[in-house]
Amino acid sequence: MTGVDTASLEGLSFEAALARLEKIVHQLEAGEVDLEASIGLYEQGQQLKAFCESKLKAAQARIELIQIGPDGEPKGTRPFDTE
């Protein structure tokens, strides 16, 4: 078994990728597969984990903070600062 095809990851939603990752973790923890298959699943899990992390970072970058003016009313938005 080999890793996940990068092109197939791009079509996945965050939730679908996370569900696949959770299934892999369950299989590995339960010992349901032989050693060779476990190595392949581990590789897939690593790719899915990286994919999920990149999706989360992209979502965080899109979050905007509402700016409040001196009169207490919203005056616009600014990008979310992750630092």
Side-chain angles (χ1 to χ4, degrees), residues 16-37:
L18 187 59
R20 284 176 64 179
L21 180 57
E22 289 172 343
K23 182 178 179 183
I24 288 171
V25 169
H26 172 73
Q27 289 176 304
L28 291 173
E29 287 179 342
E32 297 175 353
V33 292
D34 63 26
L35 178 61
E36 200 60 38

Side-chain angles (χ1 to χ4, degrees), residues 4 8-9 12 15-24 44 48:
V4 177
S8 70
L9 286 178
L12 284 179
E15 293 79 10
L18 187 59
R20 284 176 64 179
L21 180 57
E22 289 172 343
K23 182 178 179 183
I24 288 171
Q44 289 179 35
L48 287 164

